[in-house]
Amino acid sequence: MRSFHALIIVSCLLFLVAGAGAEPTVAPGYTLETFNTPGAAFAGVSRDGGGLLVSDLESGRLYRRGTDGKLVAFGPVFPHGLDVIGDPTGPYRVVRVGDVLVVAQGWTPVNSDEGPLDHALVAIDAAGQARVISSDFWNPFDFIVAGGTYYVIDSARNSVERVQADGRKSTLMAFRRMGEAAAALRSLSPTEFAEGNSYEVDAVPTGIALRDGRLYIALFGGFPFLAGAGKIVSIPAAGDASKPQLDVKGLNAPVGIAFDNYGEMLVLEHGTYNQKEGFRKGSGRLLKLNKLTPDRKIILDGLTRPVSVLVWDERRLVVSDLGGNLHLLTRESAR
């Protein structure tokens, strides 16, 4: 806990507070400190003892933030650049697994030749050497590890993959396309989408979390990324996963999911989409869902293109975004 306080205090001196435009806002009872690294595009965040692991899509580097608050790069430079729709691709996630760090590396950038680390789950040893666990993915966006088994989200294949430590892989769940009513699509293009018809979009799974033997998966929803079309579904980590359970609906492009120390679900929404602007500035938010009621509470609002949420401890959360921001959210008092 002390290391987290030191990280915040020193970071105030070392990093610029995110500048132009409206600042994110927090719910009553929380405080927020936002730190910006110019030119970065932060994606995955995870805890490594008292330090914070961060992946940067802009540089293809992994960073560790220790108790002195400094970002220190380590490991290889991963492939990075823009994907086929113009979004950054590179090392999406980095997580400590025993004596190695495991990275989910995205698909090949459009202007690059395919390399051995592309679209792969990669282990980095203490010497910084990379070993590919499996590259049999299209776009591995997120993963968790439980009991020595990796559960990997392949966003491009719309699937959850189960991967053993030796690289053996099987598909746990492949999501069907999701139907959308033409009425919602007509707001985007009244002439293209006729009344009375329905349309299907890819499910696009993104975030994943494990709770009480079930895997919870955020379904972002494919283009045109309709407001309210996102969902959270769950499947058993072991056993029959053929029928996912719908847990939450009506979300705006959910990209990250976690559970706090009290068992309440946290959902990070990437935001709402406009065909002219893309994902709107300030439309991302972090929701807390009551586990006993359908109540949803916005605890962090006004985010622009957030990617990951990390539960640091019973009071603290970390949220990353593609603008190079780390948002450190603290509840003022424990329950």
Side-chain angles (χ1 to χ4, degrees):
M1 197 174 298
R2 288 181 180 177
S3 64
F4 192 92
H5 282 299
L7 184 152
I8 293 175
I9 293 169
V10 179
S11 293
C12 290
L13 301 176
L14 296 178
F15 295 97
L16 297 175
V17 176
E23 295 292 330
T25 58
V26 293
Y30 290 85
T31 59
L32 175 68
E33 295 178 85
T34 297
F35 307 101
N36 176 262
T37 300
F42 291 144
V45 288
S46 65
R47 187 167 183 170
D48 185 18
L52 181 69
L53 298 175
V54 185
S55 66
D56 177 24
L57 300 181
E58 183 63 29
S59 65
R61 298 310 305 270
L62 307 176
Y63 291 92
R64 181 181 286 105
R65 248 175 131 193
T67 55
D68 61 359
K70 293 181 180 180
L71 276 175
V72 178
F74 65 92
V77 177
F78 284 85
H80 58 284
L82 299 180
D83 64 19
V84 292
I85 62 172
D87 274 346
T89 184
Y92 290 135
R93 297 286 187 274
V94 54
V95 175
R96 166 69 65 185
V97 182
D99 59 356
V100 299
L101 296 171
V102 177
V103 178
Q105 166 65 26
W107 47 14
T108 309
V110 290
N111 293 325
S112 301
D113 294 328
E114 184 174 323
L117 299 184
D118 282 315
H119 50 78
L121 205 62
V122 181
I124 308 295
D125 65 19
Q129 298 300 306
R131 171 180 61 85
V132 173
I133 298 171
S134 174
S135 59
D136 187 16
F137 304 100
W138 288 356
N139 194 31
F141 184 77
D142 197 5
F143 72 96
I144 60 170
V145 59
T149 298
Y150 299 95
Y151 297 92
V152 184
I153 293 291
D154 193 332
S155 294
R157 278 181 171 153
N158 294 290
S159 65
V160 182
E161 306 291 335
R162 183 191 281 126
V163 183
Q164 305 301 326
D166 61 4
R168 290 176 296 151
K169 185 174 79 69
S170 59
T171 298
L172 183 62
M173 179 76 205
F175 293 99
R176 299 176 180 176
R177 287 168 63 84
M178 302 191 302
E180 301 296 343
L185 293 165
R186 281 179 64 81
S187 64
L188 298 174
S189 175
T191 57
E192 183 178 355
F193 303 107
E195 290 284 2
N197 292 336
S198 62
Y199 297 84
E200 292 185 337
V201 299
D202 285 332
V204 190
T206 47
I208 184 170
L210 177 65
R211 181 78 180 180
D212 296 332
R214 295 189 70 81
L215 297 169
Y216 290 81
I217 301 109
L219 300 184
F220 193 93
F223 181 84
F225 315 118
L226 292 175
K231 302 176 175 67
I232 303 295
V233 300
S234 64
I235 57 176
D240 183 15
S242 61
K243 295 182 179 179
Q245 172 182 302
L246 176 62
D247 294 279
V248 186
K249 61 181 180 179
L251 298 169
N252 298 329
V255 68
I257 181 171
F259 286 89
D260 68 15
N261 290 8
Y262 303 100
E264 293 187 325
M265 184 187 295
L266 300 168
V267 177
L268 186 63
E269 293 183 323
H270 200 60
T272 55
Y273 184 82
N274 177 281
Q275 285 191 321
K276 293 182 179 180
E277 305 171 27
F279 282 97
R280 294 181 175 91
K281 294 181 180 179
S283 65
R285 57 189 187 175
L286 179 63
L287 308 177
K288 177 181 281 192
L289 281 64
N290 189 297
K291 60 183 177 181
L292 300 177
T293 73
D295 293 343
R296 303 180 186 185
K297 180 180 182 180
I298 302 171
I299 60 174
L300 181 57
D301 203 357
L303 299 170
T304 298
R305 305 211 68 183
V307 180
S308 298
V309 55
L310 167 68
V311 177
W312 184 270
D313 58 25
E314 65 179 5
R315 294 180 58 205
R316 298 169 180 83
L317 306 170
V318 183
V319 173
S320 65
D321 70 36
L322 293 179
N325 295 307
L326 292 174
H327 305 284
L328 309 180
L329 185 66
T330 303
R331 189 169 56 226
E332 294 173 352
S333 61
R335 288 187 175 184

